[in-house]
Amino acid sequence: MIVKPRIRGFICTTAHPAGCAAHVNQQIDYVIGQGDAADGAFGNVLVLGCSGGYGLASRIVAGFGCGAKTLGVSFEKAPTESKTASAGWYNNKAFEARAAEQGLYAKTLDGDAFSDAMREEVLETIKADLGHIDLVVYSLASPVRQHPKTEVLHRSSIKPLGEVLDIKTVHVEKGEVSNVALEPATVEEIADTVTVMGGEDWEYWMDALLAADLLAPKAKTVAYTYIGSELTWPIYWEGTLGKAKADLDRASAQIQQKLQSIGGDARVAVLKAIVSQASAAIPVVPLYAALLFRVMKEQGSHEDCIEHIDRLFASQLQPEAEMRLDEAGRIRVDDLELADRVQAEVKRRWPLVDTENLPELGDLTGFREDFLKIFGFGIDGVDYDADVDPQRIS
Ligand code: NAD
């Protein structure tokens, strides 16, 4: 079949097999070319949320930068004869194929990482194949979580707190800038968002690994968060998602204490805004990101997903790294996004930006290109008119 992007709101319902594979290979080539993530820094790495965005980038840097054996967990949709898979399914296949070429262990388990059954499967796989884990990367982003103890299905909300928020946003497809009124979250919606995106599941994972004695001495774990600029705080850091991320900080302190017994370390790492399946769904963020990307590109400090994670591993995670921590003990690699020079310019443009001048002040084109790349479209060297088998990556 010929696969073209089919966009519905902030999701693309098709993914290009060869395009996704080429995108993964580009990221692998970048990391190999950099050569700055310490080889041998981590022997065995578990990546929860390994198939896209920051989790995939982490798996690539761990595998191809540090030479680690990687076990990944993700929740992706397999293809059928007539329907493409989700992008992450192709990404996993491409990662595994490239790892196999290099004789590098890579196994992916597809299923619900929030479930006890998946935790059990992961523990069994570690026992059988790896023996222990040196680094656990927690990079799940999901709109729903079925709680493993109560079996209640919780849904997250992306809402402000307290009162209606009247704020600027952009319609990504149409390029129209307008104001939206966002209703505040109810108490239940806040609690549900914390249940889905907070730190409880990370704690469950680390408790299970510790109890099964599957963490190596001095094992590390890192979970990802976003704080961002004051411009997005009303919808992010001070909204429902921020409450969930505050809970991640709580969990980090708890896990840190428990890891004392093995001399381990648990950290939340604050990352920069990028385009991912998860972030494209957040109102306001695409407009902020369009301005941010333009300013960072003009000032020469822009990083894409893989560049950012390569820097995280090279400068903060490897054993000899001198971590740049904030007062809450989080690793900060959002320093370039939050640099005064960048933020002053983004904040100057924010009140000025409208539909007409967005192409001049912002980089919506770059945002859209990054969005399509997530689904394997717009990748150099891929023949998008070729007939492809949706069940194979090449
Ligand atoms: P993403 O949507 O690209 O990836 C999410 C991953 O989670 C995928 O691998 C998906 O398969 C997996 N997943 C979702 N539900 C699952 C389930 N039930 N079981 C197993 N796997 C499941 O997301 P992302 O943007 O890379 O976000 C990852 C983390 O990084 C999140 O904590 C997010 O808050 C954080 N972060 C993102 C940004 C950004 O701009 N995108 C910035 C800073 C921090």
Side-chain angles (χ1 to χ4, degrees), residues 5 8 15 61 90 126 154 160 231 249 251 268 272 282-283 296 306-307 310 332 338 356 359 387:
R8 303 255 179 285
V61 177
Y90 295 127
I126 297 168
H154 298 270
L231 292 170
D249 288 332
V268 163
K272 83 178 280 268
I282 306 173
M296 291 185 83
I306 193 71
E307 291 167 335
D310 190 72
R332 302 300 294 244
L338 296 188
E356 281 66 45
D387 199 6

Side-chain angles (χ1 to χ4, degrees), residues 46-66:
L46 170 63
V47 183
L48 301 164
C50 66
S51 60
Y54 278 135
L56 172 62
S58 303
R59 190 179 195 186
I60 290 173
V61 177
F64 292 90
C66 307

Side-chain angles (χ1 to χ4, degrees), residues 289-309:
L291 295 186
L292 177 77
F293 292 179
R294 182 68 176 247
V295 170
M296 291 185 83
K297 283 175 186 175
E298 284 173 6
Q299 295 186 4
S301 59
H302 184 72
E303 286 172 317
D304 65 14
C305 180
I306 193 71
E307 291 167 335
H308 193 56
I309 292 296

Side-chain angles (χ1 to χ4, degrees), residues 26 71 131 188 218 223 242 273 281:
Q26 275 182 3
L71 175 59
E188 289 78 31
K218 297 194 177 159

Side-chain angles (χ1 to χ4, degrees), residues 4-258:
K4 299 283 174 201
R6 211 178 299 145
I7 297 170
R8 303 255 179 285
F10 46 77
I11 189 88
C12 179
T13 59
T14 51
H16 198 282
C20 288
H23 192 212
V24 170
N25 278 306
Q26 275 182 3
Q27 295 181 68
I28 292 173
D29 291 340
Y30 170 80
V31 170
I32 292 172
Q34 283 303 103
D36 58 359
D39 196 20
F42 304 104
N44 302 323
V45 176
L46 170 63
V47 183
L48 301 164
C50 66
S51 60
Y54 278 135
L56 172 62
S58 303
R59 190 179 195 186
I60 290 173
V61 177
F64 292 90
C66 307
K69 297 179 181 178
T70 60
L71 175 59
V73 180
S74 62
F75 208 5
E76 298 297 338
K77 213 162 28 146
T80 64
E81 263 174 41
S82 58
K83 260 190 147 172
T84 64
S86 56
W89 191 89
Y90 295 127
N91 292 341
N92 288 339
K93 294 285 169 234
F95 182 91
E96 287 164 5
R98 188 77 181 266
E101 258 174 51
Q102 307 223 346
L104 201 58
Y105 174 98
K107 193 176 267 186
T108 310
L109 301 176
D110 230 321
D112 183 7
F114 296 132
S115 70
D116 285 338
M118 176 54 80
R119 244 184 300 277
E120 205 43 51
E121 201 179 335
V122 167
L123 298 186
E124 289 310 315
T125 307
I126 297 168
K127 279 180 207 160
D129 295 2
L130 303 170
H132 64 263
I133 292 292
D134 300 284
L135 172 68
V136 179
V137 176
Y138 189 87
S139 189
L140 295 178
S142 172
V144 291
R145 173 178 175 221
Q146 179 160 32
H147 198 282
K149 312 289 178 225
T150 62
E151 295 194 353
V152 173
L153 187 72
H154 298 270
R155 284 181 193 286
S156 64
S157 309
I158 305 173
K159 291 191 171 182
L161 303 187
E163 48 194 57
V164 175
L165 171 67
D166 189 359
I167 193 165
K168 241 180 198 184
T169 191
V170 65
H171 187 294
V172 174
E173 271 178 273
K174 296 183 188 156
E176 287 170 8
V177 177
S178 63
N179 269 48
V180 278
L182 300 168
E183 288 295 320
T186 63
V187 173
E188 289 78 31
E189 285 172 330
I190 299 169
D192 278 336
T193 308
V194 172
T195 304
V196 178
M197 285 297 288
E200 184 186 59
D201 182 61
W202 183 26
E203 287 184 277
Y204 284 178
W205 274 101
M206 298 312 299
D207 285 348
L209 288 160
L210 207 51
D213 201 15
L214 293 176
L215 292 175
K218 297 194 177 159
K220 286 188 179 191
T221 182
V222 64
Y224 296 148
T225 198
Y226 182 65
I227 295 179
S229 146
E230 286 101 313
L231 292 170
T232 59
W233 281 1
I235 187 63
Y236 197 97
W237 188 243
E238 293 171 347
T240 47
L241 286 173
K243 285 278 178 206
K245 292 303 192 185
D247 189 64
L248 202 64
D249 288 332
R250 176 204 57 75
S252 175
Q254 291 289 319
I255 299 168
Q256 177 77 307
Q257 252 180 11
K258 292 177 188 167

